[in-house]
Amino acid sequence: MPGKSVSKLIICRDASHLAATAANEFVRLANESVGRAGKFSVALSGGSTPRVAFSLLAASPLVEQVPWNSIHLFWSDERMVPPDDKDSNFRMANEAMISRVAIPAANVHRMRGELDPETAADEYAKELESFFGDGLPRFDLIMLGMGDDGHTASLFPGTEALSETTRSVLSNYVAKLSTHRLTFSSATINNAANVIFLISGPAKVPALKEVIEGELNTSLYPSQLIHPKDGTLEYLVDRAAAAGLEAARSALAQPEAEAPVEIELS
Ligand code: 6PG
Protein backbone atom coordinates (compact mmCIF):
# COMPACT_ATOMS: atom_id res chain seq x y z
CA MET A 1 0.00 0.00 0.00
CA PRO A 2 2.11 2.93 -1.20
CA GLY A 3 1.83 6.49 -0.08
CA LYS A 4 1.06 6.28 3.64
CA SER A 5 2.98 9.12 5.24
CA VAL A 6 2.05 10.78 8.48
CA SER A 7 4.06 13.51 10.21
CA LYS A 8 3.49 14.46 13.81
CA LEU A 9 5.00 16.92 16.22
CA ILE A 10 4.96 15.51 19.74
CA ILE A 11 5.73 18.04 22.45
CA CYS A 12 7.02 16.78 25.79
CA ARG A 13 7.56 18.81 28.96
CA ASP A 14 11.32 18.47 29.10
CA ALA A 15 14.25 16.32 28.06
CA SER A 16 13.59 13.53 30.53
CA HIS A 17 9.91 13.32 29.55
CA LEU A 18 11.05 13.22 25.92
CA ALA A 19 13.46 10.36 26.57
CA ALA A 20 10.76 8.42 28.42
CA THR A 21 8.30 8.98 25.56
CA ALA A 22 10.89 7.77 23.03
CA ALA A 23 11.69 4.69 25.10
CA ASN A 24 7.99 3.86 25.35
CA GLU A 25 7.57 4.25 21.59
CA PHE A 26 10.49 1.86 21.10
CA VAL A 27 8.78 -0.72 23.33
CA ARG A 28 5.43 -0.31 21.58
CA LEU A 29 6.87 -0.59 18.07
CA ALA A 30 9.16 -3.48 19.04
CA ASN A 31 6.28 -5.53 20.40
CA GLU A 32 4.09 -4.70 17.43
CA SER A 33 6.80 -5.76 14.92
CA VAL A 34 7.80 -8.88 16.79
CA GLY A 35 4.13 -9.88 17.11
CA ARG A 36 3.64 -9.38 13.38
CA ALA A 37 6.97 -10.38 11.83
CA GLY A 38 8.98 -12.10 14.56
CA LYS A 39 11.70 -9.42 14.61
CA PHE A 40 12.28 -5.71 15.07
CA SER A 41 15.00 -3.86 13.15
CA VAL A 42 15.99 -0.51 14.57
CA ALA A 43 18.73 1.96 13.69
CA LEU A 44 20.15 4.07 16.51
CA SER A 45 22.04 7.34 16.38
CA GLY A 46 24.46 9.19 18.59
CA GLY A 47 23.62 12.25 20.63
CA SER A 48 22.84 13.12 24.20
CA THR A 49 19.05 12.78 23.99
CA PRO A 50 19.02 9.16 22.74
CA ARG A 51 21.49 8.18 25.47
CA VAL A 52 18.89 8.80 28.17
CA ALA A 53 16.26 6.86 26.22
CA PHE A 54 18.68 3.92 25.85
CA SER A 55 19.33 3.90 29.61
CA LEU A 56 15.61 3.77 30.30
CA LEU A 57 15.23 0.79 27.96
CA ALA A 58 17.91 -1.04 29.91
CA ALA A 59 16.22 -0.50 33.28
CA SER A 60 13.07 -1.67 34.99
CA PRO A 61 10.19 -1.52 34.14
CA LEU A 62 10.90 -1.22 30.38
CA VAL A 63 13.74 -3.74 30.16
CA GLU A 64 11.29 -6.57 30.92
CA GLN A 65 8.91 -5.37 28.20
CA VAL A 66 11.40 -5.51 25.31
CA PRO A 67 11.64 -8.80 23.36
CA TRP A 68 15.47 -8.54 23.28
CA ASN A 69 16.00 -11.88 21.50
CA SER A 70 14.17 -10.57 18.46
CA ILE A 71 15.63 -7.05 18.36
CA HIS A 72 18.25 -6.22 15.72
CA LEU A 73 20.25 -3.07 16.38
CA PHE A 74 21.90 -1.07 13.62
CA TRP A 75 23.30 2.48 13.47
CA SER A 76 22.31 5.35 11.19
CA ASP A 77 25.75 6.92 11.51
CA GLU A 78 29.15 6.45 13.06
CA ARG A 79 32.41 8.30 13.59
CA MET A 80 35.69 6.94 12.17
CA VAL A 81 36.92 5.61 15.49
CA PRO A 82 37.25 2.18 17.14
CA PRO A 83 34.25 0.88 19.11
CA ASP A 84 35.83 1.67 22.48
CA ASP A 85 36.59 5.31 21.59
CA LYS A 86 34.77 7.96 23.60
CA ASP A 87 33.36 9.39 20.34
CA SER A 88 31.95 6.08 19.11
CA ASN A 89 28.17 5.99 18.73
CA PHE A 90 28.35 2.23 19.28
CA ARG A 91 30.21 2.76 22.55
CA MET A 92 27.55 5.18 23.78
CA ALA A 93 24.70 2.74 23.06
CA ASN A 94 26.75 -0.15 24.41
CA GLU A 95 27.38 1.58 27.73
CA ALA A 96 23.87 2.96 28.11
CA MET A 97 21.95 -0.12 26.97
CA ILE A 98 23.49 -3.04 25.06
CA SER A 99 25.91 -4.24 27.74
CA ARG A 100 23.08 -4.16 30.30
CA VAL A 101 20.46 -6.22 28.43
CA ALA A 102 20.12 -9.81 27.20
CA ILE A 103 20.43 -9.15 23.48
CA PRO A 104 22.26 -11.82 21.44
CA ALA A 105 25.65 -10.52 20.20
CA ALA A 106 24.73 -11.57 16.65
CA ASN A 107 21.81 -9.10 16.75
CA VAL A 108 24.11 -6.10 17.24
CA HIS A 109 25.16 -4.82 13.82
CA ARG A 110 27.61 -2.01 14.42
CA MET A 111 29.33 0.15 11.80
CA ARG A 112 33.08 -0.52 11.80
CA GLY A 113 34.46 2.95 12.36
CA GLU A 114 37.96 1.54 12.85
CA LEU A 115 38.26 0.69 9.11
CA ASP A 116 38.95 3.15 6.31
CA PRO A 117 35.75 5.02 5.42
CA GLU A 118 35.07 3.44 2.00
CA THR A 119 35.67 -0.11 3.21
CA ALA A 120 33.56 0.43 6.31
CA ALA A 121 30.67 1.80 4.23
CA ASP A 122 30.87 -1.09 1.72
CA GLU A 123 30.96 -3.65 4.52
CA TYR A 124 27.94 -2.10 6.18
CA ALA A 125 26.02 -2.03 2.89
CA LYS A 126 26.69 -5.78 2.64
CA GLU A 127 25.61 -6.31 6.23
CA LEU A 128 22.35 -4.50 5.49
CA GLU A 129 21.85 -6.55 2.34
CA SER A 130 22.36 -9.84 4.10
CA PHE A 131 19.76 -8.89 6.71
CA PHE A 132 17.18 -7.09 4.54
CA GLY A 133 17.86 -8.55 1.08
CA ASP A 134 18.48 -6.57 -2.12
CA GLY A 135 17.49 -2.95 -2.52
CA LEU A 136 17.16 -0.31 0.16
CA PRO A 137 16.64 -1.70 3.67
CA ARG A 138 13.23 -1.18 5.23
CA PHE A 139 13.76 -0.58 8.94
CA ASP A 140 10.93 -0.94 11.41
CA LEU A 141 12.30 2.11 13.22
CA ILE A 142 15.05 4.68 12.69
CA MET A 143 15.77 6.93 15.69
CA LEU A 144 17.51 10.17 14.77
CA GLY A 145 18.94 13.22 16.47
CA MET A 146 19.19 16.64 14.89
CA GLY A 147 22.21 18.88 15.27
CA ASP A 148 21.96 22.62 15.97
CA ASP A 149 22.91 23.11 12.30
CA GLY A 150 20.02 20.95 11.04
CA HIS A 151 22.11 17.85 10.27
CA THR A 152 20.77 14.42 10.96
CA ALA A 153 22.58 11.07 11.05
CA SER A 154 25.86 12.31 9.47
CA LEU A 155 24.10 14.17 6.66
CA PHE A 156 25.74 17.54 7.28
CA PRO A 157 24.89 20.79 5.46
CA GLY A 158 26.54 21.12 2.05
CA THR A 159 28.05 17.61 2.01
CA GLU A 160 28.08 15.16 -0.88
CA ALA A 161 26.01 12.47 0.79
CA LEU A 162 22.95 14.71 0.65
CA SER A 163 22.44 13.91 -3.03
CA GLU A 164 22.79 10.12 -2.68
CA THR A 165 19.67 8.35 -3.93
CA THR A 166 20.71 4.72 -4.46
CA ARG A 167 23.35 3.59 -1.96
CA SER A 168 22.04 2.67 1.48
CA VAL A 169 25.09 3.80 3.43
CA LEU A 170 28.17 5.78 2.50
CA SER A 171 31.20 7.60 3.77
CA ASN A 172 30.71 11.33 3.85
CA TYR A 173 33.49 13.90 4.14
CA VAL A 174 32.50 16.65 6.54
CA ALA A 175 34.82 19.61 5.91
CA LYS A 176 33.76 21.54 8.99
CA LEU A 177 34.84 18.61 11.17
CA SER A 178 37.82 17.72 8.89
CA THR A 179 36.79 14.09 8.96
CA HIS A 180 34.77 11.40 7.25
CA ARG A 181 31.65 9.98 8.83
CA LEU A 182 29.66 6.87 7.97
CA THR A 183 26.02 7.63 7.36
CA PHE A 184 22.77 6.24 6.01
CA SER A 185 21.59 8.05 2.91
CA SER A 186 18.29 9.91 3.14
CA ALA A 187 16.95 7.23 0.75
CA THR A 188 17.49 4.58 3.43
CA ILE A 189 15.95 6.71 6.15
CA ASN A 190 12.94 7.51 3.96
CA ASN A 191 12.37 3.82 3.29
CA ALA A 192 11.76 3.08 6.98
CA ALA A 193 8.36 2.21 8.39
CA ASN A 194 8.82 4.63 11.31
CA VAL A 195 11.24 7.50 11.81
CA ILE A 196 11.51 9.35 15.11
CA PHE A 197 13.57 12.48 15.68
CA LEU A 198 14.59 13.19 19.28
CA ILE A 199 15.18 16.92 19.63
CA SER A 200 15.69 18.68 22.91
CA GLY A 201 16.83 22.02 24.30
CA PRO A 202 16.86 25.70 23.32
CA ALA A 203 19.91 25.37 21.02
CA LYS A 204 17.68 23.52 18.53
CA VAL A 205 15.09 26.31 18.18
CA PRO A 206 16.38 28.03 15.00
CA ALA A 207 17.14 24.83 13.04
CA LEU A 208 13.93 23.08 14.11
CA LYS A 209 11.87 26.07 12.98
CA GLU A 210 13.61 26.05 9.58
CA VAL A 211 13.29 22.28 9.20
CA ILE A 212 9.56 22.18 9.92
CA GLU A 213 8.28 25.60 8.86
CA GLY A 214 10.99 27.22 6.73
CA GLU A 215 11.52 27.35 2.98
CA LEU A 216 12.82 24.12 1.51
CA ASN A 217 16.63 24.27 1.54
CA THR A 218 17.85 20.73 2.08
CA SER A 219 21.48 21.61 1.45
CA LEU A 220 21.41 24.00 4.41
CA TYR A 221 18.99 21.97 6.57
CA PRO A 222 19.53 18.28 5.70
CA SER A 223 16.85 17.16 8.18
CA GLN A 224 14.35 18.54 5.65
CA LEU A 225 15.26 15.55 3.45
CA ILE A 226 13.53 13.20 5.86
CA HIS A 227 10.02 12.26 4.76
CA PRO A 228 9.36 8.51 4.83
CA LYS A 229 7.72 7.42 1.54
CA ASP A 230 5.49 4.89 3.20
CA GLY A 231 5.84 5.33 6.91
CA THR A 232 5.41 7.60 9.89
CA LEU A 233 7.56 10.57 10.88
CA GLU A 234 7.52 11.87 14.44
CA TYR A 235 9.39 14.89 15.71
CA LEU A 236 9.63 14.18 19.40
CA VAL A 237 10.61 17.52 20.91
CA ASP A 238 10.60 19.20 24.29
CA ARG A 239 8.97 22.57 24.99
CA ALA A 240 12.36 24.28 24.92
CA ALA A 241 13.14 23.07 21.38
CA ALA A 242 9.60 23.81 20.15
CA ALA A 243 9.64 27.43 21.35
CA GLY A 244 9.98 28.94 17.85
CA LEU A 245 7.36 26.85 16.09
CA GLU A 246 4.13 28.38 14.85
CA ALA A 247 2.55 24.91 15.01
CA ALA A 248 3.39 24.66 18.72
CA ARG A 249 2.20 28.12 19.71
CA SER A 250 -1.18 27.22 21.16
CA ALA A 251 0.17 24.09 22.87
CA LEU A 252 2.94 26.14 24.50
CA ALA A 253 0.42 28.71 25.72
CA GLN A 254 -1.23 25.98 27.83
CA PRO A 255 0.16 24.90 31.19
CA GLU A 256 2.56 21.93 31.00
CA ALA A 257 0.56 18.76 30.52
CA GLU A 258 1.30 15.31 31.96
CA ALA A 259 0.89 13.63 28.59
CA PRO A 260 2.78 14.71 25.48
CA VAL A 261 0.82 17.02 23.16
CA GLU A 262 0.44 15.64 19.62
CA ILE A 263 0.02 17.89 16.63
CA GLU A 264 -0.45 16.59 13.12
CA LEU A 265 1.71 18.38 10.55
CA SER A 266 0.54 18.87 6.99
C1 6PG B 1 26.21 11.96 15.74
C2 6PG B 1 24.74 11.86 15.75
C3 6PG B 1 24.08 13.16 15.36
C4 6PG B 1 23.27 13.60 16.57
C5 6PG B 1 22.93 15.06 16.55
C6 6PG B 1 22.14 15.50 17.76
O1 6PG B 1 26.87 10.96 15.60
O2 6PG B 1 26.71 13.07 15.92
O3 6PG B 1 24.19 10.75 15.21
O4 6PG B 1 23.32 13.16 14.20
O5 6PG B 1 22.14 12.81 16.65
O6 6PG B 1 24.12 15.78 16.48
O7 6PG B 1 22.86 15.29 18.92
P1 6PG B 1 22.29 15.76 20.37
O8 6PG B 1 21.09 14.91 20.66
O9 6PG B 1 23.45 15.47 21.29
O10 6PG B 1 21.99 17.20 20.25
Side-chain angles (χ1 to χ4, degrees):
M1 229 205 357
K4 180 188 68 137
S5 187
V6 182
S7 312
K8 268 190 215 163
L9 178 68
I10 301 181
I11 307 173
C12 302
R13 287 192 304 281
D14 53 26
S16 55
H17 188 214
L18 191 165
T21 306
N24 279 301
E25 269 296 87
F26 182 112
V27 173
R28 181 182 72 79
L29 291 168
N31 284 296
E32 186 196 282
S33 290
V34 172
R36 180 175 31 80
K39 59 182 183 229
F40 180 59
S41 55
V42 53
L44 311 176
S45 67
S48 46
T49 323
R51 175 194 278 272
V52 184
F54 299 161
S55 312
L56 292 173
L57 286 166
S60 211
L62 294 186
V63 69
E64 295 90 15
Q65 297 168 28
V66 177
W68 291 108
N69 267 326
S70 311
I71 306 286
H72 283 263
L73 299 177
F74 294 80
W75 274 261
S76 60
D77 75 323
E78 186 55 280
R79 291 95 186 268
M80 302 314 307
V81 294
D84 57 353
D85 191 283
K86 64 170 182 22
D87 287 335
S88 162
N89 285 342
F90 165 79
R91 174 176 163 168
M92 185 278 270
N94 194 39
E95 287 181 355
M97 176 173 77
I98 301 167
S99 62
R100 299 163 57 199
V101 303
I103 185 167
N107 292 12
V108 179
H109 310 261
R110 72 172 180 88
M111 288 177 162
R112 299 189 59 199
E114 67 275 30
L115 303 179
D116 78 86
E118 294 297 326
T119 311
D122 287 353
E123 277 207 359
Y124 210 61
K126 285 189 196 120
E127 175 99 16
L128 292 173
E129 219 174 281
S130 70
F131 185 82
F132 291 96
D134 288 346
L136 287 172
R138 179 160 171 83
F139 277 92
D140 295 313
L141 171 63
I142 299 185
M143 294 173 95
L144 298 171
M146 186 192 77
D148 303 354
D149 60 356
H151 85 262
T152 191
S154 281
L155 299 168
F156 282 83
T159 55
E160 253 183 67
L162 301 187
S163 53
E164 182 61 41
T165 55
T166 48
R167 280 180 292 173
S168 55
V169 52
L170 62 162
S171 84
N172 191 26
Y173 185 69
V174 185
K176 78 170 179 189
L177 303 175
S178 307
T179 184
H180 284 83
R181 290 279 187 96
L182 299 169
T183 186
F184 279 180
S185 60
S186 61
T188 291
I189 300 172
N190 287 335
N191 206 41
N194 301 281
V195 176
I196 302 181
F197 275 102
L198 277 65
I199 303 172
S200 133
K204 303 291 162 79
V205 168
L208 184 62
K209 179 159 182 56
E210 289 301 329
V211 168
I212 296 188
E213 295 176 344
E215 295 281 309
L216 195 66
N217 187 342
T218 55
S219 171
L220 202 52
Y221 298 103
S223 296
Q224 289 181 337
L225 288 166
I226 308 310
H227 282 289
K229 292 199 301 287
D230 183 12
T232 69
L233 173 63
E234 291 180 355
Y235 298 95
L236 213 51
V237 304
D238 60 7
R239 290 172 67 102
L245 293 174
E246 202 53 46
R249 192 194 281 229
S250 70
L252 294 179
Q254 307 295 316
E256 290 184 7
E258 233 356 271
V261 178
E262 294 198 12
I263 298 166
E264 226 163 274
L265 299 170
S266 44

